[in-house]
Amino acid sequence: MLLHLLTQVDRGAPVLFVDTQKLFGETLRYREALIGRFGLTGVRTILPYADDLATADPQGSLWLRDTDACCHIRKVLPLERALEGFDAWITGRKRFQSSGRADLDVFEVAEGRIKLNPLANWSVAQLKEYAEQHDLPPHPMVAQGYPSIGCMPCTDKVAPGEDPRAGRWRGAEKIECGIHLPTHGREIDGSGI
Ligand code: SF4
């Protein structure tokens, strides 16, 4: 959705794709399909730093012990470094996604940058209508019961009536990865996309 809106303005605008190296294969293939479909030329794949992985997660199993620390080295730090030099960025967050996003503003200022959330007040029905109007393909796992899709170890199916993000870190208090939190994911109490 957001990427389609972006193509109406600039197909070469920078798009930061955070690849935690724990994503579903379907997500990586979906990314390539969208790049081809929309003709995006500015997509940058952001990876965790090798030094951070060697120090904190040499076995790749940190998510089992400490999801906040895992999100920090695989999402928060890589994006923080990739955003250096930018004055503003755009996210695809929506208010309906979870109770934690219910009061989301369209314009925010965070970490000295403007953060735009142009879809903040869009409803599920509006998103569906826009997708149908423009024949936009959903992530292939949505039809399998995954309305919100993150990393493979931390994404579960969602039952009817649950928040769309209820399958993220199922069973834990954590509801955000930390990228969009005021302390930028440095929480140690499990609050931590
Ligand atoms: S969502 Fe899970 S696997 Fe992905 S970075 Fe966070 S803790 Fe690690």
Side-chain angles (χ1 to χ4, degrees):
M1 190 73 57
L2 191 58
L3 290 178
H4 184 265
L5 289 168
L6 186 66
T7 62
Q8 314 306 302
V9 181
D10 183 1
R11 293 178 192 275
V15 175
L16 306 181
F17 180 86
V18 179
D19 183 351
T20 63
Q21 300 189 320
K22 295 287 183 188
L23 299 177
F24 290 92
E26 287 90 339
T27 298
L28 301 177
R29 289 188 285 278
Y30 184 54
R31 173 191 62 179
E32 296 308 308
L34 293 183
I35 290 173
R37 163 80 183 273
F38 298 151
L40 299 169
T41 59
V43 177
R44 307 174 187 181
T45 296
I46 312 302
L47 296 170
Y49 273 28
D51 286 352
D52 291 340
L53 294 180
T55 302
D57 194 10
Q59 308 299 326
S61 57
L62 183 57
W63 63 273
L64 278 168
R65 306 184 299 279
D66 188 339
T67 52
D68 280 345
C70 185
C71 282
H72 193 63
I73 62 168
R74 292 180 181 274
K75 292 184 179 181
V76 177
L77 279 181
L79 181 62
E80 190 174 86
R81 292 162 179 150
L83 282 171
E84 285 176 13
F86 286 103
D87 296 322
W89 58 305
I90 305 171
T91 89
R93 292 177 296 160
K94 300 109 186 159
R95 291 179 189 144
F96 71 78
Q97 287 177 311
S98 68
S99 56
R101 296 184 177 184
D103 297 323
L104 183 66
D105 289 326
V106 174
F107 294 95
E108 298 176 293
V109 176
E111 303 284 318
R113 289 185 194 89
I114 296 171
K115 198 195 285 194
L116 298 176
N117 309 301
L119 305 180
N121 58 5
W122 283 41
S123 66
V124 172
Q126 286 174 307
L127 291 169
K128 188 166 179 284
E129 184 181 346
Y130 186 93
E132 287 173 356
Q133 276 178 356
H134 298 281
D135 190 26
L136 302 181
H139 189 296
M141 291 174 61
V142 171
Q144 300 168 25
Y146 297 89
S148 177
I149 300 149
C151 292
M152 190 162 37
C154 305
T155 301
D156 195 9
K157 287 188 179 181
V158 169
E162 286 189 303
D163 272 355
R165 287 174 60 83
R168 306 291 291 274
W169 303 284
R170 172 80 75 190
E173 289 183 18
K174 184 178 176 73
I175 57 172
E176 295 277 348
C177 73
I179 285 174
H180 300 296
L181 293 175
T183 49
H184 226 194
R186 295 194 175 85
E187 295 78 2
I188 56 172
D189 59 357
S191 56
I193 271 174

